[in-house]
């Protein structure tokens, strides 16, 4: 899901998926990934769910872990949501494509309009899509191609959709996010700064920008809670994970900072925005 800004309104629900035991072994999680401390990864995931529910006041829906889907907790890659529409993605990795099935059903049960990607030439990971509240930016990366970006544009016709080259083996939101309704935050790497410059050229909207020492610190979630009178939150990686970026994050004075950790889950390629889908809707009674 694109990070919500003014265009999304207030959030009411969050969707997460439990951490399976199969994620604990590097072999189960995928070639080249280190083995994880399963208990620590599950604790991190549990704290994230608790912050979404108790601190942010969202109704939390948790899909059960599936041993056949070791990367299933990275469900942010499985859908792009704006308003009452959910675009079900087509992940680059064929092994990950079954992950969308449980997410599709959960979003259907919440009453969202489901759009499928029927083109077998398209690839799209949800964490390559950044929604600013005014427009979409789609990262063209190892994971997401031009056809995938075209389908985002076809699905969300009320918004401008621009493509941004990603010059590292990462997703766009691995180093770029929204720190507020008008503030783009980005890491300090060459890839992050190139993406920010490209976005500035492509947009017609004036955004402030904030550079963070750590790329992963920019993988954050700006959320407007459903509770009236409550200021927006920024869910972000805390000082235990990324101490060098905490002072810079304090410059975001119009949001309430809510730190969480995902240092163990990060070993499996998880970024903060990949671990949940946040939406503004109400389930059927």
């Amino acid at each position: 899901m694109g990070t919500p800004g003014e265009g999304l309104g207030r959030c009411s629900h969050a969707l997460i998926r439990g951490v399976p035991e199969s994620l604990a072994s590097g072999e189960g999680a995928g070639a080249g990934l280190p083995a994880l401390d399963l208990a620590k990864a599950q604790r991190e995931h549990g704290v994230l769910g608790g912050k979404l529910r108790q601190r942010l006041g969202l109704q939390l829906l948790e899909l059960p872990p599936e041993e056949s889907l070791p990367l299933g907790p990275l469900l942010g890659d499985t859908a792009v949501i704006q308003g009452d529409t959910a675009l079900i993605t087509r992940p680059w990795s064929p092994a990950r494509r079954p992950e969308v099935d449980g997410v599709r059903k959960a979003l259907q049960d919440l009453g969202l309009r489901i759009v499928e990607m029927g083109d077998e030439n398209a690839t799209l990971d949800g964490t390559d899509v950044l929604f600013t509240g005014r427009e979409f930016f789609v990262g063209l990366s190892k994971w997401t191609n031009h056809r995938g970006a075209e389908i985002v544009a076809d699905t969300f016709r009320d918004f401008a959709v621009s493509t941004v080259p990603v010059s590292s083996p990462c997703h766009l939101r691995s180093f770029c996010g929204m720190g507020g309704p008008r503030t783009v935050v980005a890491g300090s790497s060459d890839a992050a700064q190139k993406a920010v410059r490209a976005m500035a050229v492509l947009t017609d909207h004036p955004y402030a920008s904030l550079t963070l020492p750590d790329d992963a610190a920019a993988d954050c979630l700006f959320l407007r809670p459903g509770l009236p009178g409550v200021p927006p939150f920024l869910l972000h990686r805390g000082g235990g994970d990324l101490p060098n970026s905490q002072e810079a994050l304090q410059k975001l004075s119009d949001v309430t900072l809510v730190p969480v950790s995902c240092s163990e889950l990060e070993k499996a390629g998880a970024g903060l925005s990949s671990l949940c889908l946040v939406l503004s809707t109400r389930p059927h009674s």
Side-chain angles (χ1 to χ4, degrees):
M1 169 188 172
T3 307
E6 289 183 338
L8 186 60
R10 298 194 175 274
C11 303
S12 61
H13 289 71
L15 183 66
I16 62 176
R17 176 182 268 145
V19 179
E21 293 183 8
S22 59
L23 188 63
S25 68
E27 184 176 333
L33 294 176
L36 303 184
D37 181 331
L38 178 64
K40 182 178 180 182
Q42 290 176 331
R43 284 196 301 272
E44 289 178 350
H45 197 262
V47 170
L48 171 63
K51 292 283 182 77
L52 290 167
R53 182 179 61 249
Q54 298 167 9
R55 187 75 174 88
L56 277 65
L58 304 180
Q59 184 166 333
L60 186 68
L61 307 173
E62 183 168 3
L63 300 178
E66 295 189 39
E67 296 303 326
S68 63
L69 303 175
L71 294 180
L74 281 65
L75 84 177
D77 285 327
T78 63
V80 178
I81 303 170
Q82 162 55 30
D84 63 356
T85 298
L87 172 62
I88 304 301
T89 67
R90 190 169 185 270
W92 173 84
S93 170
R96 296 196 61 194
R97 289 175 191 163
E99 295 174 19
V100 307
D101 297 336
V103 173
R104 178 191 295 108
K105 183 179 186 307
L107 297 178
Q108 283 177 330
D109 290 345
L110 283 168
L112 271 69
R113 181 176 74 92
I114 303 298
V115 178
E116 303 282 356
M117 292 183 65
D119 190 334
E120 294 186 357
N121 294 316
T123 61
L124 178 69
D125 276 12
T127 49
D128 267 324
V129 182
L130 176 66
F131 179 59
T132 72
R134 296 168 172 79
E135 61 193 315
F136 286 92
F137 292 102
V138 181
L140 298 180
S141 68
K142 170 183 176 180
W143 321 100
T144 297
N145 63 16
H146 277 282
R147 184 61 189 130
E150 288 173 351
I151 293 175
V152 174
D154 289 342
T155 303
F156 302 105
R157 292 179 178 273
D158 290 341
F159 297 93
V161 177
S162 302
T163 58
V164 180
V166 175
S167 58
S168 70
C170 298
H171 295 92
L172 177 62
R173 282 160 59 198
S174 297
F175 51 63
C176 187
M178 296 302 292
R182 299 177 180 85
T183 301
V184 174
V185 294
S188 58
S189 70
D190 287 344
Q193 291 300 303
K194 285 179 181 178
V196 170
R197 289 194 294 269
M199 290 164 60
V201 171
L202 293 164
T203 186
D204 292 328
H205 301 286
Y207 299 107
S209 64
L210 176 66
T211 298
L212 304 175
D214 303 290
D215 278 11
D219 187 350
C220 54
L221 287 169
F222 171 70
L223 303 170
R224 295 179 180 277
L227 303 174
V230 177
F233 291 96
L234 188 74
L235 196 68
H236 69 95
R237 300 281 294 277
D241 283 8
L242 303 169
N244 293 335
S245 290
Q246 301 310 302
E247 182 177 353
L249 284 166
Q250 296 295 326
K251 297 177 182 178
L252 299 170
S253 57
D254 295 332
V255 296
T256 299
L257 298 174
V258 180
V260 293
S261 173
C262 61
S263 60
E264 196 66 25
L265 289 162
E266 185 178 43
K267 295 177 183 177
L272 183 55
S273 63
S274 72
L275 292 171
C276 60
L277 287 168
V278 181
L279 52 150
S280 53
T281 187
R282 298 190 181 279
H284 296 303
S285 57

